[in-house]
Amino acid sequence: MRKAINNFINAEDGVAVADMTLLMAALCGLALAVSTQVSNGMEELTGELEQTVIAQDASAAW
């Protein structure tokens, strides 16, 4: 990975820059899509957990 980054930094042709720009844009899009899906799933699970906790009897057992 380090070698690929060094090659990119040292490259003087425009093709490498265009390729890496497209690759980074795709990775950002993927990260955004994954975080959106995880966020939606966590929101649903949190709501279910809230309802379960509210339904529990919180009186002392002794």
Side-chain angles (χ1 to χ4, degrees):
M1 183 69 175
R2 177 172 269 179
K3 184 178 178 182
I5 293 172
N6 285 336
N7 287 341
F8 169 69
I9 291 171
N10 295 328
E12 295 183 9
D13 56 342
V15 177
V17 174
D19 287 345
M20 289 302 286
T21 301
L22 291 174
L23 180 61
M24 292 299 155
L27 288 174
C28 288
L30 180 64
L32 182 61
V34 167
S35 65
T36 301
Q37 290 299 318
V38 168
S39 175
N40 290 341
M42 290 301 292
E43 185 176 331
E44 183 179 321
L45 288 174
T46 303
E48 291 175 8
L49 178 62
E50 178 186 18
Q51 294 303 319
T52 302
V53 170
I54 289 172
Q56 294 295 317
D57 184 18
S59 63
W62 63 82

